[in-house]
Each structure stands twice: as C-alpha cells, then as structure tokens.
Amino acid sequence: MAGERSGQSIAWRIAPPASLFVVLTALGLGVNGARLGLDLAGGRLLPVGSLSELWSTYLAGWHQTGGGTASAAPTSLAILGALGAIFVPLGGPPALVAILLIGDAPLAGLSAYAATRRLPVSRWTRAAVSAAYAMVPAATASVAQGRLDVVVVHVVLPLVVSGIGDLLASTGDRWLYRSSACAVGVAVLGAFSPLAHGLALLGLVAGFVVLPPGKSLLRRIASVGIVVLLPLALLLPWPTVLVNQPALFLHGLSGPAPAPPAADLVGLYPGGAGAWPIGVVLLVATIFAVAVRPRALLSAGLALAALGACGLAVVLLVAVKPLQGGGAAVGYTGVPLLLLSAGLLWIILNACASGTGTAVLPRIAAVAAVMVVLVLGAGAVFGGRGGPLHSGGGDQLVAAQADELDRSGRSVLVVGSGDEPTRQEGGRMPLFGDDQLALTASTPDRMTAWQSALAQPSSGATRAALSGATAAGALFVVLPPGADAAPIVALAPDLAVAAQPTKDGRAVLRLLAPSGQVVLVPASVAKQAVTSSAPANTTGVTPVDADLPDVHVRVSEGTAGRLLVLSAEQEAGWEATVDGKAQPIVPAWGHQVAVSVPPGSSEVSIEHPSTLRDVLLLVQVAAVLFALLTAIPAPTRRR
C-alpha cells in the first residue's frame, strides 16, 4: 500500500510538468512545421557557423569583417560553442540554435514552471500560467523573425527572476552557490541581450535598497556584489565594446525595428511577422485578478511589470544609429514586452495563491488563467506560422567559389536590400556574430555608397564601387535578390564578369583587377592611393603572399614611393616596422592600412597586437573557473 501511495504521489507531481512539456512541444512542432530542420536562417538570424568557426571567431583578436576590425566578438559565440559541442552528432551549434527556436515554447514553459516552485499555488495552475508565458506574442514573433537574442531571454528570464528573488528574500548557508548560479544566469542574459542584463541588475539593486536587510546584511551585500560583478568578468572582453556602442545595448544582437503602433503595444505585440496583438487578454485577466484579490498587487509581479515598462520607454524613446549604419532607429521591443508579460502573469499567479480569502477566489483566478492560455495558444497557432525564418541554412556560393575564397583569404561583398545591410566578409559568407562586431566609423557609409552604386548602375559610381571593393580585397560580389549582373558588366567589363549564381539564385560578379590580402603598389599608383578613394589604374599592382593581420614580408629593390597596402581598415592599434625601425601607418584609398616601402630591399612587418584582449580572456577564464567551483551546490548534511 505504501508503495502504491508513493507511486501515485510521484505521478501526481510529474503529471503537470510532463503534460506542459508534451502540449507545448506539440504546439511548437505544429507552429514551426514549415521550417522544421537543424539549419535555420532568415530574418534577423544569419546562418550559424560550425563549432570550429564559432570558436575561431570568438578567440580571434582581429576579424576580416567589414574590411577588418579588432572589435571583440560577442560572448554569445562562446556560449553557443560550448553548448553546441553537446550537439555535434546532430550538427553542432546550428542544431542547438534550431532546437532553441523550434523548442522555445516547451523550454520557456518548463523554465517558468521551475521558477514558480516556491509559490503556494497548485501545480496545475502553475502549469497553466507557465503555458501562457510560453506563448506570449513577443516570444512567438521573435521566433518567426529569427531573433535569437529575445528567444534566449524568453527561456532564461524566469530562472533569473527567481534567483534574484531568492537572494533578496533570504541568505542562508548556501548563499554563495545561489549567488554564483544567479550570476551565471545574468551573464547568459547579457551575452544575448545587454538590455535584459541591465534591467536585471536594475531590479536587483532596487530590491536591495527597498527590501529590509534581513538577518545577515554582509551576506546580502556579498551576494549582490557577486551578481553585479561576476557576469561582467564572465562576458569579457565583450563589455569593452558595449561601453562604446550604445546601439548594441538598445538594439540587441538582432538589430533595430520599426516602432509598433500603440494598439500593438497594448496587445503586448512587438510588431512584425509571427504573432497577433492578443496579449491584451493578459491585461484584462490581470485587472480581473486584481479585482478578485487586490493583494495580488503586493507581489513582485508589479515590480517586474514596472521594470518592463521602463525598458519599453527607453527602447522607444531613445533612437540611435544602428551598428551596421543607417539613420537613427529605435530598438526591438521584444525583451521589455517579455518582462511586462511575465510581471502580469506573476500577478495572476499570485491571485491564484491559497491561504487568504475564500476558497472560491483562487478557483475563479485559475479559470481565468486557463482562458488566457486558450486565447494565447490560438494566437500562436494561427499567427506564428509566418515569418522569414526558414530551414535549409542561408545563401551559399557554389563549392568552387567557396573553396577559392577559403584558400585566398579574400572577401565576398554581399550587397543588401531593404532592411538587410551590405556586408563584407573575408574567406566565407556572413555568419551569425558578424553583425555584432563594431566596425570602423567610415565603414557603414562606404558600404551604403557601394550598395547604391551597384543597385542603380551608372558608369562613374559603379566603376568606383567595383574598384574600391577590389582594393579592399573583395573577390566576389553577391548582388541583391532579383538583380541582374548584365548592366554592371556592360558598364565595367574590365573590372567584373558574371559568375555562377548562389544557391538561392542571386547573381554573382567576379572582380578582375589584381588584388589580395596584401598588395605592393608601385609609385605611379601610390600617389593616387593617398589622394583618392578608389583606384582608377591598377597597372603594376602586385599581390603579396601574406595573411592578415600579422604581415611579415621581404620587399625587393624597386623605385621610391612604393606602398605595401593591406585589405584592412585603418584603426587604432596597427604597428609597422621597416628593417626593425618603426614607420608611420599611411592611409590608402582613404581607409586602408599601408606603409611606405624604401627603394632598397627591406624587411617589412605590420602587426595588430592583441595583448589587452589576451589579458581580458585570461580574466574571463578565471571567472569561469570561479563560477564552476561555486555554482555547483555542495551536498547537504543530515542532522
């Protein structure tokens, strides 16, 4: 009999989360049925690189993106690389990202269910509210639009909110473990959404100031200090970029978006494809829950909703220039609306709590929660099927062209259209993480000018764009969808020829002028290189067998006035020596690194040291070791 009761007890405990997972998994597969696959791309999601590509990009001190930049790569690459190693049999990091996007609803639902385990609410009510959180419009729209940063916040947010609440409520013997575990969660938020990171710390500090200190003030101060400082160390060297790039904080990893109308905001809908503004049902249910049980407003849900409203105001009122160029724009409202939705659901859940009032009130609130789930589920099923996210990976060059890019190290210029920016990437097609690299100040404007010249061909501008792209190391130019290569080839037959189109049928140009990662420019062309923005004559330009960013070559005798030019953007940090003596960096074509070469035979070295980045990576490794040692709970002792 005791065994039967024990089995029934276990089944009774497992039934709600198991049912939640099964139902949400079925819903996720149904909504994403047209995009099922392990290589998703489209919308705001560039194709995700392999395990080696993610780690090489993250650890590199210089990136051949946008003509070259020493910007630190986002820490999200390291997280995807670490977790993606588990999914190598399925395809590595691309498979991990696909599982996150397609399985967003069940993962977020289980996360919310686990985060509410301490609340005095029935398990089935917790499961219903968790299902509602899994299907809020901000989440379904973010999945359909390929906004991976918002999806990760959707999954991790409940656990971080619960961890912060536990730290502020009490500090027991396991305070160090709780603090470190919460800090790791905050760091994951910061790696994908700096805005969510900032809002989480704002809520932590506000709670520390407002709530009573409890029994151990010193432990509480230490816990708050760990949650504030440890994530910064775990994210190094990424925070150094965030300080100088407010667009990354406000726009996130997936970039800006048009400001949604007021009606959509009332419906907790961030705009775009993939959802309907049916979040208004949450507002109605919250008002009803507060009317039934006013004490629900005393929960932390009100503070969380207020935090989301503050984030929403900041995102919509502060317009900044996007990282990839263009006019000032507001950010995507997905993350603030997630916080706002979670706060409203927390208020509803608190109204369902037992222990106060009559027994009828929690039942009425639970029925309201079920109605909310049904409405949100219908909106997710019928609205979440659209959107640009698709399976099959991103556009690719044919195998011969991709191999040539990889061997030569030269770059491909992918011309954008509409909201898609123009990208220049060395050795491969653009991948996830490239858009989060901080380019030099002149790069976005130059890319925009090249895009305009190639989208609307004219003799002078188009020839200048092709010559400038060649001088910057480009070998192929991928034109926008639907564009024809014939008008451009007719204007500049000596600069470009039509090549085999991409997998998706986009026209490709092959640039003909001599170029490479490093070239030796004769004196006749060098005079033009320091006074103009694009070469009109490439006679005598000789490619040099060298790889970026560290160049060590021996130059033979020649005429005075020659230049050794790199297909790298001129920015702080470049150092050059000729025969061991320091030489100044000369700007070539207005933006590239070059150094003057003497007439005699000489040894030339051009480097971009990354000593500071290496030190920051060591600090990050130390922080990771500290987190691993302290975030694992120690076994409890029985008294």
Side-chain angles (χ1 to χ4, degrees), residues 15 61 63 147 155 175 177 193 257 283-284 337 376 418 446 491 555 578 612:
H63 308 275
R147 295 184 179 271
V155 175
W175 67 272
Y177 149 66
S193 174
L283 295 175
V284 175
L337 288 179
L376 292 178
R446 185 175 65 258
L491 290 173
V555 180
V578 176
L612 177 60

mmCIF file of all heavy atoms in Angstrom, residues 15 61 63 147 155 175 177 193 257 283-284 337 376 418 446 491 555 578 612:
data_model
loop_
_atom_site.group_PDB
_atom_site.id
_atom_site.type_symbol
_atom_site.label_atom_id
_atom_site.label_comp_id
_atom_site.label_asym_id
_atom_site.label_seq_id
_atom_site.Cartn_x
_atom_site.Cartn_y
_atom_site.Cartn_z
ATOM 1 N N ALA A 15 2.902 14.767 -13.365
ATOM 2 C CA ALA A 15 1.864 14.961 -14.382
ATOM 3 C C ALA A 15 1.784 16.392 -14.911
ATOM 4 O O ALA A 15 1.751 16.595 -16.130
ATOM 5 C CB ALA A 15 0.504 14.511 -13.840
ATOM 6 N N GLY A 61 41.716 37.943 -32.357
ATOM 7 C CA GLY A 61 41.875 39.335 -31.939
ATOM 8 C C GLY A 61 41.565 40.323 -33.041
ATOM 9 O O GLY A 61 41.432 41.527 -32.778
ATOM 10 N N HIS A 63 39.260 40.564 -36.908
ATOM 11 C CA HIS A 63 38.268 39.887 -37.743
ATOM 12 C C HIS A 63 38.231 40.533 -39.119
ATOM 13 O O HIS A 63 38.208 41.752 -39.240
ATOM 14 C CB HIS A 63 36.879 39.976 -37.104
ATOM 15 C CG HIS A 63 36.843 39.519 -35.678
ATOM 16 N ND1 HIS A 63 36.703 38.200 -35.314
ATOM 17 C CD2 HIS A 63 36.942 40.218 -34.512
ATOM 18 C CE1 HIS A 63 36.709 38.099 -34.007
ATOM 19 N NE2 HIS A 63 36.858 39.315 -33.495
ATOM 20 N N ARG A 147 14.893 36.168 -34.216
ATOM 21 C CA ARG A 147 15.569 36.989 -33.199
ATOM 22 C C ARG A 147 16.008 36.078 -32.053
ATOM 23 O O ARG A 147 15.316 35.929 -31.035
ATOM 24 C CB ARG A 147 14.659 38.116 -32.721
ATOM 25 C CG ARG A 147 14.340 39.125 -33.818
ATOM 26 C CD ARG A 147 13.511 40.281 -33.295
ATOM 27 N NE ARG A 147 13.218 41.254 -34.329
ATOM 28 C CZ ARG A 147 13.977 42.302 -34.651
ATOM 29 N NH1 ARG A 147 15.107 42.510 -33.992
ATOM 30 N NH2 ARG A 147 13.626 43.136 -35.600
ATOM 31 N N VAL A 155 13.648 32.115 -22.543
ATOM 32 C CA VAL A 155 13.879 30.852 -21.850
ATOM 33 C C VAL A 155 14.550 31.063 -20.496
ATOM 34 O O VAL A 155 14.180 30.431 -19.492
ATOM 35 C CB VAL A 155 14.734 29.913 -22.734
ATOM 36 C CG1 VAL A 155 15.097 28.643 -21.971
ATOM 37 C CG2 VAL A 155 13.985 29.568 -24.016
ATOM 38 N N TRP A 175 24.353 30.614 0.366
ATOM 39 C CA TRP A 175 24.263 31.909 -0.319
ATOM 40 C C TRP A 175 25.269 32.025 -1.469
ATOM 41 O O TRP A 175 24.976 32.619 -2.503
ATOM 42 C CB TRP A 175 24.466 33.040 0.680
ATOM 43 C CG TRP A 175 25.859 33.092 1.256
ATOM 44 C CD1 TRP A 175 26.329 32.439 2.336
ATOM 45 C CD2 TRP A 175 26.953 33.849 0.728
ATOM 46 N NE1 TRP A 175 27.653 32.713 2.535
ATOM 47 C CE2 TRP A 175 28.064 33.586 1.564
ATOM 48 C CE3 TRP A 175 27.111 34.707 -0.343
ATOM 49 C CZ2 TRP A 175 29.304 34.168 1.342
ATOM 50 C CZ3 TRP A 175 28.350 35.281 -0.568
ATOM 51 C CH2 TRP A 175 29.428 35.016 0.270
ATOM 52 N N TYR A 177 26.508 29.596 -3.395
ATOM 53 C CA TYR A 177 26.028 28.815 -4.543
ATOM 54 C C TYR A 177 24.901 29.548 -5.251
ATOM 55 O O TYR A 177 24.889 29.654 -6.483
ATOM 56 C CB TYR A 177 25.572 27.439 -4.052
ATOM 57 C CG TYR A 177 24.453 26.845 -4.873
ATOM 58 C CD1 TYR A 177 24.653 26.471 -6.194
ATOM 59 C CD2 TYR A 177 23.186 26.657 -4.307
ATOM 60 C CE1 TYR A 177 23.611 25.931 -6.943
ATOM 61 C CE2 TYR A 177 22.149 26.120 -5.053
ATOM 62 C CZ TYR A 177 22.366 25.761 -6.368
ATOM 63 O OH TYR A 177 21.346 25.240 -7.108
ATOM 64 N N SER A 193 21.463 39.630 -24.729
ATOM 65 C CA SER A 193 20.680 40.865 -24.673
ATOM 66 C C SER A 193 21.235 41.761 -23.570
ATOM 67 O O SER A 193 20.877 41.599 -22.401
ATOM 68 C CB SER A 193 19.201 40.565 -24.420
ATOM 69 O OG SER A 193 18.469 41.759 -24.232
ATOM 70 N N ALA A 257 14.217 47.852 -35.111
ATOM 71 C CA ALA A 257 12.927 47.500 -35.712
ATOM 72 C C ALA A 257 12.055 48.738 -35.716
ATOM 73 O O ALA A 257 12.239 49.644 -34.892
ATOM 74 C CB ALA A 257 12.245 46.371 -34.930
ATOM 75 N N LEU A 283 -3.788 41.715 -20.076
ATOM 76 C CA LEU A 283 -4.167 42.914 -19.329
ATOM 77 C C LEU A 283 -5.549 42.752 -18.707
ATOM 78 O O LEU A 283 -5.766 43.095 -17.534
ATOM 79 C CB LEU A 283 -4.143 44.126 -20.262
ATOM 80 C CG LEU A 283 -2.779 44.529 -20.832
ATOM 81 C CD1 LEU A 283 -2.948 45.658 -21.834
ATOM 82 C CD2 LEU A 283 -1.847 44.949 -19.719
ATOM 83 N N VAL A 284 -6.491 42.215 -19.481
ATOM 84 C CA VAL A 284 -7.845 42.013 -18.958
ATOM 85 C C VAL A 284 -7.826 41.015 -17.808
ATOM 86 O O VAL A 284 -8.469 41.233 -16.760
ATOM 87 C CB VAL A 284 -8.774 41.533 -20.092
ATOM 88 C CG1 VAL A 284 -10.157 41.196 -19.543
ATOM 89 C CG2 VAL A 284 -8.879 42.594 -21.173
ATOM 90 N N LEU A 337 8.767 43.759 -23.551
ATOM 91 C CA LEU A 337 7.424 43.177 -23.513
ATOM 92 C C LEU A 337 7.427 41.806 -22.852
ATOM 93 O O LEU A 337 6.425 41.403 -22.244
ATOM 94 C CB LEU A 337 6.859 43.080 -24.932
ATOM 95 C CG LEU A 337 6.456 44.409 -25.582
ATOM 96 C CD1 LEU A 337 5.940 44.189 -26.991
ATOM 97 C CD2 LEU A 337 5.408 45.126 -24.739
ATOM 98 N N LEU A 376 -4.091 32.676 -25.988
ATOM 99 C CA LEU A 376 -2.711 32.811 -26.449
ATOM 100 C C LEU A 376 -2.309 31.637 -27.336
ATOM 101 O O LEU A 376 -1.566 31.811 -28.315
ATOM 102 C CB LEU A 376 -1.770 32.918 -25.256
ATOM 103 C CG LEU A 376 -1.868 34.187 -24.410
ATOM 104 C CD1 LEU A 376 -0.915 34.118 -23.231
ATOM 105 C CD2 LEU A 376 -1.572 35.417 -25.250
ATOM 106 N N GLY A 418 16.711 46.696 -48.847
ATOM 107 C CA GLY A 418 15.714 46.892 -47.809
ATOM 108 C C GLY A 418 16.362 47.018 -46.445
ATOM 109 O O GLY A 418 17.267 47.838 -46.240
ATOM 110 N N ARG A 446 30.521 53.752 -46.347
ATOM 111 C CA ARG A 446 31.124 53.255 -47.583
ATOM 112 C C ARG A 446 30.320 52.066 -48.128
ATOM 113 O O ARG A 446 30.085 51.981 -49.344
ATOM 114 C CB ARG A 446 32.574 52.828 -47.328
ATOM 115 C CG ARG A 446 33.302 52.412 -48.607
ATOM 116 C CD ARG A 446 34.759 52.119 -48.366
ATOM 117 N NE ARG A 446 34.974 50.980 -47.499
ATOM 118 C CZ ARG A 446 35.307 51.062 -46.222
ATOM 119 N NH1 ARG A 446 35.457 52.245 -45.643
ATOM 120 N NH2 ARG A 446 35.480 49.982 -45.488
ATOM 121 N N LEU A 491 28.841 48.049 -68.061
ATOM 122 C CA LEU A 491 29.481 49.314 -67.696
ATOM 123 C C LEU A 491 30.958 49.149 -67.376
ATOM 124 O O LEU A 491 31.737 50.090 -67.558
ATOM 125 C CB LEU A 491 28.763 49.949 -66.504
ATOM 126 C CG LEU A 491 27.353 50.504 -66.747
ATOM 127 C CD1 LEU A 491 26.724 50.947 -65.437
ATOM 128 C CD2 LEU A 491 27.414 51.679 -67.719
ATOM 129 N N VAL A 555 60.637 42.780 -49.138
ATOM 130 C CA VAL A 555 60.359 43.507 -50.373
ATOM 131 C C VAL A 555 61.670 43.690 -51.136
ATOM 132 O O VAL A 555 62.681 44.114 -50.557
ATOM 133 C CB VAL A 555 59.704 44.869 -50.072
ATOM 134 C CG1 VAL A 555 59.412 45.619 -51.357
ATOM 135 C CG2 VAL A 555 58.431 44.665 -49.267
ATOM 136 N N VAL A 578 60.022 48.811 -40.620
ATOM 137 C CA VAL A 578 60.778 48.526 -41.838
ATOM 138 C C VAL A 578 62.234 48.378 -41.427
ATOM 139 O O VAL A 578 62.845 49.319 -40.912
ATOM 140 C CB VAL A 578 60.612 49.643 -42.885
ATOM 141 C CG1 VAL A 578 61.482 49.361 -44.104
ATOM 142 C CG2 VAL A 578 59.153 49.785 -43.301
ATOM 143 N N LEU A 612 45.977 43.276 -24.799
ATOM 144 C CA LEU A 612 44.898 43.587 -23.863
ATOM 145 C C LEU A 612 43.782 42.560 -23.957
ATOM 146 O O LEU A 612 43.244 42.120 -22.932
ATOM 147 C CB LEU A 612 44.358 44.994 -24.138
ATOM 148 C CG LEU A 612 43.175 45.437 -23.274
ATOM 149 C CD1 LEU A 612 43.548 45.426 -21.801
ATOM 150 C CD2 LEU A 612 42.682 46.806 -23.698
#
